[in-house]
Amino acid sequence: MTSVKPYFIQALHQWISDNGLTPLAVVDASYPGIRVPDGVVEDGKIVLNVSHDATSHLQMDEELLTFNARFSGVSHAIIIPMEAVSAVYARENGKGMMFDVESDAVEEGANTDEAEKPKSGRPNLKLVD
């Protein structure tokens, strides 16, 4: 089964945009596959304005969030694996959702049966008021 996280991210982006607010995405900059300009990462994270006004060619699918954006007047192609997104919220009121950032990579030599077992316990999503 595919991850539900990309669907939540897309739905939150649309909900925030439909309400005339500015969607922001918090990204774990240490996650493999991230492509952002040098100098925009603080404390291992980056907060990106992912509104339609601040981006061009915004694309979201099950694996990647990609767009072009300007940083200090210079256009950059941004590539963010969906699993690296740790929150999506509205800049104006903070409404949104937080996510855990976990690597789906299975270590070499690991027992694949163990890796495929679902985790028990409480969900990892948190509501941000």
Side-chain angles (χ1 to χ4, degrees):
M1 206 168 175
T2 60
S3 173
V4 71
K5 186 175 180 178
Y7 297 95
F8 279 131
I9 291 169
Q10 291 174 38
L12 285 165
H13 181 273
Q14 183 172 347
W15 174 68
I16 292 166
S17 297
D18 287 353
N19 282 281
L21 303 175
T22 308
L24 301 179
V26 180
V27 177
D28 179 348
S30 66
Y31 197 89
I34 295 280
R35 183 172 156 190
V36 295
D38 293 332
V40 296
V41 177
E42 281 188 31
D43 298 326
K45 301 205 179 302
I46 182 171
V47 179
L48 298 166
N49 179 342
V50 290
S51 69
H52 293 287
D53 291 339
T55 63
S56 63
H57 307 292
L58 178 66
Q59 297 286 321
M60 287 186 256
D61 62 28
E62 291 82 21
E63 296 189 18
L64 294 174
L65 165 62
T66 61
F67 56 92
N68 292 328
R70 297 182 80 73
F71 293 84
S72 301
V74 179
S75 183
H76 293 273
I78 307 300
I79 301 173
I80 308 293
M82 284 294 202
E83 288 302 319
V85 177
S86 61
V88 176
Y89 65 96
R91 177 174 53 200
E92 293 81 0
N93 63 14
K95 301 262 186 211
M97 187 178 289
M98 293 177 63
F99 306 95
D100 281 339
V101 176
E102 296 180 20
S103 175
D104 286 339
V106 177
E107 293 180 27
E108 274 188 47
N111 183 345
T112 55
D113 291 336
E114 280 293 315
E116 292 178 11
K117 289 183 182 175
K119 294 180 183 178
S120 61
R122 300 184 73 182
N124 293 326
L125 298 177
K126 297 174 184 121
L127 181 62
V128 177
D129 287 305

